[in-house]
Amino acid sequence: MDGLLRRGKMILPALKNWIGWCQRQQQCCRFYSDLHARQKCVSQHFQSMNLREDSIASQQTSKPGELTCKSQRLMLLAGLIYPASPGCFHYMPYTVRALEKLIRMIDREMQTIGGQKVNMPALSSAELWRASGRWELMGSELLRLADRHNQEYCLGPTHEEAITDLIASQGHLSYKQLPLLLYQVTRKFRDEPKPRFGLLRGREFYMKDMYTFDTSKEAALQTYALVCNAYGNIFNTLGLRFVKVQAATGSIGGTMSHEFQLPADVGEDRLMMCTGCDFAANEETLNPDEKHCPVCKGKLAEYKGIEVGHTFFLGTKYSSVFNATVRTAENKHIPAEMGCYGLGVTRILAASIEVLSTEDAIRWPSLIAPYQVCLIPPKRGSKEEKGAISWMIYMTVLLKQPLGLRRR
């Protein structure tokens, strides 16, 4: 009797699980039987479905018949984005999913090198920008506004002033706290005169911007190299062929700058790359008549590229203005040596589609593809349909849950 009771205790839990499994399969069979008998099913995923290829040019170009780029056309036709106004887009669920994956990858890489994530206001005071001299320098590129008290602001395209003012407000940084690497991934704004190419050049976009603080120029250059290597790791992990080129510092300033470019025919930057060594530069940094490499005198070949990252060695350009200082080991107070580093997050999404896709099919880097597997049911009435119902029931048994379909 004792042996029988012990056997019963072992069998009853398994029997309970088996009965539950049978009930689930019965419900599943009823669901798919009803599914087969009624009208066709649609996915629960929300995406734009009312854009036709012949409507894209009229919605997204400034002149009738003007061509769009491949990534813009594919993303619109696939319902990944939907135009809201010139240079601004709704990001649909698939795109948001890919965006979040990319941001997580960037977070891991930035935190591996010691980055700490912050989040700064999109509204930036005009006083800060006037102090740095960029309120006038940036001109019409800044999206400016005034509140009810007539205080002026801009929607930040970048945050050098804001982060340096924040550091200055905390008192003197100790050399023991450095290097300090702060970054954010937020929406940025730029009043583009002619938004084009979808997410490649818009008025509103996501950017990762990092700001670093060091005690000396030598230490700051080591941090600069560290961040540049991290950028290279990101693009290599994504499987994107990139070129690091010397670049102009432009309105951000500093004494050294590099761009990370993805070679592409639709690119708006002209890159000069040496055929004999590793030298590469944006054409705007070279003399117009310079046809040979300044390093080895080899021939320079011209390519087009899409800028997806930009780094700057700022020195004390901002820290000296806002009094962001460092206390050295000798107890001296000196301006912090700074760097700033941008990654165009939404631009990376579009640029990866631009360089990897065919003319009629999207190819994502596998690590940021919205989904690794997509189940596509056969056309209603086709010979494959009968077998598909059995296959979907099998998949449901395997996954132990119904597939995400609903009747329309």
Side-chain angles (χ1 to χ4, degrees):
M1 180 65 71
D2 289 340
L4 187 61
L5 286 174
R6 282 196 299 271
R7 263 191 237 104
K9 288 180 181 179
M10 295 173 60
I11 292 171
L12 284 175
L15 182 62
K16 183 180 178 181
N17 291 337
W18 181 78
I19 292 171
W21 181 85
C22 288
Q23 289 172 341
R24 287 195 297 272
Q25 303 324 306
Q26 186 179 25
Q27 292 171 357
C28 174
C29 290
R30 285 174 183 168
F31 172 80
Y32 283 108
S33 176
D34 186 54
L35 170 70
H36 184 68
R38 293 177 180 269
Q39 292 184 346
K40 61 182 180 180
C41 297
V42 294
S43 171
Q44 286 181 275
H45 285 284
F46 174 67
Q47 64 183 127
S48 170
M49 298 299 293
N50 63 343
L51 273 178
R52 304 185 314 274
E53 189 163 8
D54 58 2
S55 70
I56 291 177
S58 62
Q59 293 199 35
Q60 286 300 298
T61 57
S62 58
K63 298 178 182 179
E66 185 178 346
L67 295 176
T68 61
C69 68
K70 177 170 57 179
S71 60
Q72 179 186 11
R73 180 174 56 82
L74 289 174
M75 293 184 82
L76 285 168
L77 287 174
L80 299 177
I81 56 176
Y82 190 84
S85 60
C88 299
F89 293 87
H90 300 286
Y91 302 157
M92 295 309 196
Y94 290 118
T95 304
V96 172
R97 188 176 173 89
L99 184 68
E100 289 171 345
K101 286 186 173 184
L102 178 56
I103 291 172
R104 285 196 294 270
M105 177 185 293
I106 292 171
D107 283 340
R108 285 194 299 270
E109 199 64 44
M110 293 299 99
Q111 291 164 20
T112 296
I113 61 173
Q116 301 177 64
K117 198 170 188 178
V118 298
N119 198 314
M120 291 178 276
L123 278 178
S124 188
S125 169
E127 293 180 7
L128 293 178
W129 287 73
R130 287 194 175 101
S132 68
R134 293 210 296 168
W135 186 258
E136 293 78 18
L137 179 63
M138 295 289 286
S140 59
E141 188 174 332
L142 282 181
L143 278 166
R144 306 164 194 251
L145 63 154
D147 65 12
R148 66 182 68 191
H149 306 294
N150 291 321
Q151 297 295 313
E152 292 183 294
Y153 298 87
C154 68
L155 291 172
T158 182
H159 281 74
E160 285 78 14
E161 288 83 358
I163 192 68
T164 314
D165 183 61
L166 172 64
I167 294 300
S169 71
Q170 307 304 303
H172 305 295
L173 289 174
S174 168
Y175 72 96
K176 296 179 182 180
Q177 297 173 268
L178 305 181
L180 179 62
L181 295 80
L182 301 176
Y183 79 99
Q184 62 177 352
V185 181
T186 56
R187 287 180 184 261
K188 300 294 191 293
F189 304 86
R190 187 171 290 132
D191 194 359
E192 286 286 349
K194 186 183 177 184
R196 55 193 178 275
F197 299 150
L199 299 188
L200 292 181
R201 183 166 292 279
R203 289 179 172 171
E204 183 178 4
F205 50 92
Y206 278 92
M207 186 171 80
K208 188 286 302 178
D209 45 323
M210 173 177 271
Y211 306 91
T212 64
F213 301 83
D214 278 281
T215 54
S216 66
K217 181 177 180 180
E218 293 73 22
L221 289 174
Q222 289 178 5
T223 302
Y224 186 92
L226 185 70
V227 180
C228 287
N229 287 337
Y231 277 23
N233 291 340
I234 290 171
F235 295 121
N236 286 330
T237 302
L238 290 172
L240 298 174
R241 187 173 70 89
F242 74 95
V243 181
K244 178 185 172 185
V245 303
Q246 72 176 32
T249 55
S251 60
I252 290 180
T255 58
M256 181 173 66
S257 174
H258 290 91
E259 293 170 345
F260 290 76
Q261 299 269 356
L262 301 187
D265 291 339
V266 76
E268 298 183 272
D269 290 308
R270 294 183 179 275
L271 315 177
M272 306 302 293
M273 299 167 59
C274 180
T275 58
C277 70
D278 294 333
F279 176 81
N282 192 307
E283 187 183 49
E284 63 186 2
T285 66
L286 303 175
N287 296 324
D289 60 347
E290 198 165 357
K291 302 299 181 183
H292 293 87
C293 175
V295 176
C296 71
K297 304 305 178 182
K299 185 179 179 181
L300 293 176
E302 183 178 314
Y303 298 87
K304 291 182 178 180
I306 301 171
E307 179 193 334
V308 288
H310 206 153
T311 61
F312 300 83
F313 176 64
L314 300 174
T316 61
K317 173 179 170 61
Y318 294 91
S319 57
S320 59
V321 170
F322 294 100
N323 197 32
T325 59
V326 175
R327 187 179 70 251
T328 68
E330 294 77 25
N331 205 30
K332 294 181 179 179
H333 295 150
I334 59 173
E337 295 280 346
M338 291 178 58
C340 68
Y341 314 83
L343 273 181
V345 181
T346 41
R347 185 178 283 190
I348 290 173
L349 284 185
S352 65
I353 292 175
E354 187 70 39
V355 300
L356 297 179
S357 300
T358 64
E359 288 298 325
D360 57 359
I362 290 177
R363 299 287 185 269
W364 295 90
S366 61
L367 291 178
I368 61 171
Y371 292 94
Q372 297 298 316
V373 177
C374 179
L375 301 180
I376 304 175
K379 183 178 179 181
R380 186 169 178 80
S382 66
K383 62 182 180 180
E384 292 86 3
E385 184 184 26
K386 183 181 296 185
I389 298 298
S390 300
W391 179 81
M392 286 192 286
I393 292 173
Y394 167 75
M395 287 298 295
T396 302
V397 171
L398 188 66
L399 298 173
K400 301 294 177 64
Q401 60 184 4
L403 299 179
L405 298 174
R406 288 293 184 271
R407 293 187 295 275
R408 183 170 63 182

